[in-house]
């Protein structure tokens, strides 16, 4: 009996020792084994990844979890202040992170830093702009973004990416508004443009369908698309491309941080360091879910010339100048924007 | 008296597990949801005020009420088409297919159930796409000059639903047809009724309760589904479950999602009351 008991305890101890696990709440690009496995092998751990879409979903998941359930949080760059306000994120040791290698525009201290402490770091960024089939549409026809809702030539030929913030931002820029200064007074004009664009649209699509509708020729233009849609398809379908209209594009970014309640902060920090390293950044940038620019400029040394061409590495200085951030509405404006978006979907 | 009491106790003991189960997994969650539907999302906070503002917001916004109408229109169309296709199919399997092949025929009928619901929906997108299988075949045959624009429409949603529910209804109607005593039909035939008359006056009325139950199941499953409209409908319009998902996923607005869920449940309850009343009338 005693032997059985000891054997059981020993077995549990071994299982416990093997069960070093990290729980990360992430976007789909982190679920690529090519990104995660090198870290798991190097540290002898298992990384459990829970993929989500939309910060609202992530916050609901965290609310329903016990403190300590989650270790690493990948979150929309504009929502980091929300997470800091909610006390979800732990301060990061800046000295251990490659802060100097992050593109200056992507440091985003106003979002990531509070009272001198850094709570998150940008890991990847890109643009919500226009993806299109250049064999069927001339880029010049898309130079003015307002054509998407004013030109009947696009009727039935466009799809709209189903995320209200970037598309509302893009429409706002088309209407000559600054994304950072949007108020409820701007919504009627944005609503009108969105509804007109929906009339031209064949469908409103999620992340996966964004690639499918272009790749299968279902539509010729994806509003809200960008390198994250077409870069991964470039090798097989070079006719699929992306461009930034005269009015500019909306810049998105995703940030990585550590949960304040994590009981494995050291391991979580190792994961953050890996993701922000040039190798981790190159793998993240070319993840099988979607491609986009790495935040660490040194990843350029790891990426191939073909990969950099697909990401438009050399054009980034100009693109960054022409891009504006996602709108960052307060709670009431956010609800009003979602209402406008739902109304557009229902047309 | 004591024997009667013991009997009553035994009866309560027999139903107790079902009662506990229903309370734990339906009554309590429903009460919580109903209470939550009276709260409000203000800014990014949920405020525990008790009023009907979520219901007022729903009924005062045409695009939200429109989602309920879309749900009802799609569900009624799917239910009607599925019954119209499933009944003949079940009848053919039960009456015309030799007994020894009926199992095989049923297996073929339920084959689509073997694949994931989501995978099946995505497969339909490839079939119905502008350059999809259907258009390629029709163009190849010269039946159409231009590709049909079915994908990302209500038609695509209805096709996806009907494909699923015809199978479900075929099974329920087939089971009903098998239980039908052959004597009634034989007696009618002996009295000179032709096959059509036998079907119209004997077979159909006797199988209608089974059809109604199957139709109600189709109604409930269809009106509460958001995956098929999301994948096949291409967001060309919204149904109520999609709006509920938007409240949860985008806005984290649990009170509004709860209110919309109560509205959806009310519609299902009304459908059930109608169905139950009809079944009672039939029995009477």
């Amino acid at each position: 009996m005693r032997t059985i008991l000891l054997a059981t305890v020993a077995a549990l101890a071994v299982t416990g020792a093997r069960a070093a696990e990290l729980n990360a709440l992430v976007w789909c690009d982190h679920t690529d084994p090519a990104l995660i496995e090198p870290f798991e092998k190097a540290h002898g751990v298992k990384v459990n990844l829970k993929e989500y879409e939309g910060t609202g979903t992530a916050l609901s998941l965290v609310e329903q979890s016990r403190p300590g359930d989650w270790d690493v949080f990948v979150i929309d760059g504009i929502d980091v202040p929300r997470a800091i306000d909610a006390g979800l994120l732990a301060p990061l040791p800046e000295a251990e992170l490659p802060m100097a290698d992050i593109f200056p525009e992507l440091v985003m201290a106003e979002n990531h830093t509070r009272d001198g402490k850094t709570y998150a770091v940008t890991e990847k960024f890109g643009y919500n702009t226009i993806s299109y089939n250049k064999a069927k549409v001339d880029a010049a026809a898309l130079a003015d973004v307002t054509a998407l809702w004013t030109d009947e030539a696009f009727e039935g030929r466009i799809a709209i990416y189903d995320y209200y913030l970037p598309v509302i931002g893009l429409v706002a820029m088309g209407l000559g508004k600054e994304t950072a200064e949007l108020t409820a007074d701007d919504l009627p004009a944005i609503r009108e443009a969105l509804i007109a664009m929906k009339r031209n649209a064949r469908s409103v699509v999620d992340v996966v369908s964004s690639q499918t509708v272009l790749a299968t020729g279902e539509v010729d233009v994806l509003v809200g698309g960008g390198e994250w849609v077409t870069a991964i398809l470039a090798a097989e379908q070079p006719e699929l491309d992306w461009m930034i209209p005269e009015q500019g594009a909306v810049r998105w970014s995703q940030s990585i941080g550590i949960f304040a309640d994590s009981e494995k902060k050291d391991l979580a920090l190792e994961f953050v360091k890996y993701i922000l390293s040039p190798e981790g950044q190159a793998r993240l940038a070319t993840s099988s879910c979607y491609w986009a620019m790495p935040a660490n400029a040194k990843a350029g040394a790891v990426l191939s010339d073909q990969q950099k061409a697909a990401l438009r590495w050399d054009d980034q200085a100009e693109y960054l100048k022409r891009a504006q951030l996602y709108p960052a509405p307060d709670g009431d404006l956010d609800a009003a924007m979602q209402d406008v978006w739902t109304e557009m979907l229902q047309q | 008296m004591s024997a009667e009491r013991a009997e009553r106790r035994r009866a309560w003991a027999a139903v107790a597990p079902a009662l506990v189960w229903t309370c734990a997994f339906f009554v309590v969650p429903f009460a919580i949801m109903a209470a939550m539907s009276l709260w409000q999302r203000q800014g990014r906070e949920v405020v525990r005020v008790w009023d009907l503002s979520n219901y007022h917001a729903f009924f005062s916004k045409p695009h939200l009420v429109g989602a309920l109408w879309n749900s009802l229109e799609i569900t009624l169309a799917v239910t009607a088409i599925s019954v119209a296709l499933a009944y003949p199919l079940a009848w053919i399997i039960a009456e015309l297919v030799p007994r020894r092949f009926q199992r095989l025929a049923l297996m073929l009928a339920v084959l689509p159930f073997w694949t994931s619901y989501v995978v099946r929906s995505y497969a339909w997108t490839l079939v119905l796409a502008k350059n999809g299988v259907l258009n390629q075949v029709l163009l190849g045959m010269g039946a159409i000059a231009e590709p049909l624009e079915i994908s990302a429409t209500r038609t695509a949603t209805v096709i996806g639903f009907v494909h699923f529910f015809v199978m479900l209804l075929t099974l329920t109607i087939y089971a009903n047809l098998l239980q039908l005593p052959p004597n009634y039909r034989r007696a009618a035939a002996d009295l000179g009724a032709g096959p059509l008359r036998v079907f119209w006056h004997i077979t159909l009325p006797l199988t209608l309760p089974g059809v109604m139950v199957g139709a109600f199941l189709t109604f409930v499953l269809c009106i509460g589904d958001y995956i098929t409209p999301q994948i096949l409908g291409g967001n060309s319009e919204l149904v109520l479950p999609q709006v509920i998902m938007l409240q949860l996923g985008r806005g984290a607005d649990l009170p509004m999602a709860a209110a919309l869920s109560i509205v959806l449940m009310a519609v299902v309850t009304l459908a059930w009351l109608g169905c139950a009343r009809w079944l009672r009338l039939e029995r009477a």
Side-chain angles (χ1 to χ4, degrees):
Chain A
M1 187 65 189
R2 199 172 161 221
T3 316
I4 293 172
L5 193 66
L6 281 174
T8 310
V9 170
L12 284 173
V14 169
T15 314
R18 278 181 190 162
E21 294 184 358
L22 198 67
N23 297 318
L25 204 50
V26 298
W27 290 11
C28 72
D29 52 349
H30 286 69
T31 59
D32 187 349
L35 171 69
I36 298 302
E37 279 176 7
F39 177 80
E40 288 182 327
K41 278 184 189 153
H43 293 268
V45 297
K46 171 96 183 81
V47 181
N48 300 314
L49 300 158
K50 172 69 184 170
E51 179 186 330
Y52 75 90
E53 262 186 66
T55 304
T57 309
L59 296 180
S60 298
L61 282 167
V62 174
E63 271 174 26
Q64 290 157 22
S65 309
R66 290 169 305 176
D69 276 358
W70 299 104
D71 303 302
V72 174
F73 195 11
V74 170
I75 181 173
D76 199 317
I78 60 156
D79 288 323
V80 172
R82 257 170 100 178
I84 298 173
D85 289 341
L88 292 179
L89 296 174
L92 296 171
E94 265 197 52
E96 295 184 46
L97 300 171
M99 303 303 288
D101 301 332
I102 304 290
F103 284 106
E105 293 88 343
L106 275 301
V107 172
M108 296 168 67
E110 66 284 8
N111 284 30
H112 294 153
T113 307
R114 183 75 56 85
D115 300 329
K117 291 177 185 165
T118 298
Y119 289 85
V121 181
T122 308
E123 55 166 22
K124 192 170 175 178
F125 73 100
Y127 307 93
N128 287 108
T129 173
I130 296 170
S131 289
Y132 69 110
N133 185 331
K134 59 188 176 192
K136 294 186 180 167
V137 183
D138 185 358
L142 295 164
D144 177 4
V145 73
T146 62
L148 293 166
W149 58 88
T150 55
D151 191 344
E152 286 176 6
F154 288 112
E155 193 177 334
R157 296 173 67 195
I158 68 174
I160 303 170
Y161 171 46
D162 184 15
Y163 192 13
Y164 66 107
L165 284 174
V167 178
I168 284 179
L170 198 59
V171 168
M173 289 171 75
L175 296 172
K177 301 173 191 295
E178 297 284 320
T179 57
E181 292 167 11
L182 291 178
T183 66
D185 294 339
D186 297 312
L187 287 184
I190 291 172
R191 174 186 168 277
E192 206 175 306
L194 279 173
I195 289 173
M197 189 158 70
K198 177 73 189 301
R199 275 188 219 114
N200 272 350
R202 176 121 191 77
S203 54
V204 183
V205 289
D206 61 15
V207 174
V208 178
S209 303
S210 295
Q211 288 178 346
T212 314
V213 287
L214 272 181
T216 59
E218 194 71 22
V219 297
D220 301 330
V221 179
L222 174 70
V223 183
E227 75 297 319
W228 60 276
V229 176
T230 48
I232 200 168
L233 303 168
E236 286 180 14
Q237 289 182 275
E239 73 277 15
L240 301 183
D241 205 349
W242 61 285
M243 52 90 68
I244 294 184
E246 286 160 4
Q247 293 94 336
V250 176
R251 191 182 89 207
W252 60 266
S253 65
Q254 57 194 65
S255 305
I256 188 165
I258 296 173
F259 277 97
D261 290 330
S262 167
E263 290 164 3
K264 298 164 194 158
K265 287 200 177 72
D266 291 342
L267 186 57
L269 180 60
E270 288 305 314
F271 185 76
V272 172
K273 281 157 73 176
Y274 163 69
I275 292 292
L276 295 176
S277 69
E279 292 75 20
Q281 285 279 281
R283 290 180 191 128
L284 181 66
T286 55
S287 156
S288 58
C289 187
Y290 61 90
W291 286 26
M293 276 292 292
N296 185 334
K298 285 195 174 160
V302 185
L303 290 164
S304 70
D305 288 343
Q306 193 189 4
Q307 289 170 331
K308 285 201 280 189
L311 292 168
R312 305 271 176 80
W313 185 276
D314 295 332
D315 298 324
Q316 290 304 316
E318 188 221 330
Y319 286 1
L320 282 167
K321 270 185 219 150
R322 292 170 59 196
Q324 293 185 33
L325 282 176
Y326 268 35
D330 61 18
D332 290 333
L333 183 58
D334 189 50
M337 283 180 170
Q338 289 189 44
D339 210 32
V340 165
W341 189 256
T342 309
E343 197 180 346
M344 179 275 287
L345 288 174
Q346 196 59 280
Q347 297 301 309
Chain B
M1 189 64 183
S2 64
E4 206 174 284
R5 203 174 289 163
E7 180 68 24
R8 203 175 297 157
R9 245 184 241 150
R10 267 199 298 276
W12 275 112
V15 297
L19 275 178
V20 170
W21 180 272
T22 308
C23 279
F25 296 108
F26 179 72
V27 178
V28 173
F30 180 77
I32 292 170
M33 192 170 77
M36 198 180 278
S37 75
L38 302 174
W39 298 350
Q40 265 183 51
R41 176 106 182 158
Q42 289 178 359
R44 299 204 192 279
E45 302 292 323
V46 171
V47 182
R48 296 185 182 196
V49 291
W50 302 87
D51 64 23
L52 297 170
S53 57
N54 289 321
Y55 294 96
H56 182 258
F58 171 74
F59 287 109
S60 61
K61 291 181 179 172
H63 60 281
L64 295 183
V65 177
L68 174 61
W69 285 121
N70 289 341
S71 288
L72 282 170
E73 285 168 14
I74 289 173
T75 301
L76 290 173
V78 167
T79 307
I81 297 170
S82 300
V83 169
L85 293 175
Y87 199 103
L89 183 60
W91 189 83
I92 288 167
I93 294 173
E95 300 292 328
L96 302 183
V97 174
R99 203 77 169 160
R100 62 180 185 282
F101 293 125
Q102 284 189 6
R103 233 182 232 181
L104 177 68
L106 276 180
M107 198 187 77
L108 290 174
V110 298
L111 213 57
F113 279 114
W114 293 7
T115 53
S116 147
Y117 187 47
V118 175
V119 170
R120 203 165 45 236
S121 295
Y122 273 112
W124 270 112
T125 63
L126 299 177
V127 173
L128 302 175
K130 205 163 149 190
N131 298 325
V133 179
L134 181 68
N135 274 321
Q136 294 296 337
V137 170
L138 293 175
L139 285 169
M141 288 164 58
I144 51 172
E146 289 291 319
L148 299 174
E149 303 216 330
I150 304 174
S151 69
T153 63
R154 180 182 284 198
T155 308
T157 303
V158 170
I159 289 173
F161 271 137
V162 166
H163 176 230
F164 181 75
F165 289 119
V166 161
M167 306 306 138
L168 184 79
L169 274 162
T170 302
L171 286 179
T172 55
I173 297 170
Y174 170 80
N176 217 237
L177 282 166
L178 274 196
Q179 286 170 358
L180 212 60
N183 296 349
Y184 295 130
R185 285 177 287 178
R186 281 186 201 140
D190 284 348
L191 292 170
L196 264 179
R197 222 164 158 197
V198 170
F199 176 78
W200 190 250
H201 290 286
I202 307 289
T203 310
L204 186 61
L206 288 175
T207 50
L208 268 185
V211 174
M212 283 299 283
V213 171
F216 176 70
L217 268 178
T218 304
F219 184 92
V220 172
L221 293 172
C222 186
I223 204 164
D225 188 284
Y226 79 95
I227 294 172
T228 301
Q230 185 75 26
I231 297 173
L232 290 170
N235 274 328
S236 53
E237 61 184 356
L238 292 176
V239 292
L240 197 53
Q242 282 177 291
V243 178
I244 294 172
M245 284 306 294
L246 283 175
Q247 306 305 320
L248 291 171
R250 293 260 166 90
D253 191 347
L254 262 64
M256 188 63 182
L260 298 178
S261 302
I262 296 280
V263 171
L264 192 61
M265 278 197 73
V267 171
V268 172
T269 307
L270 284 176
W272 167 246
L273 288 175
C275 186
R277 187 178 158 77
W278 185 87
L279 286 171
R280 263 203 305 276
L281 284 177
E282 271 294 292
R283 222 175 289 148

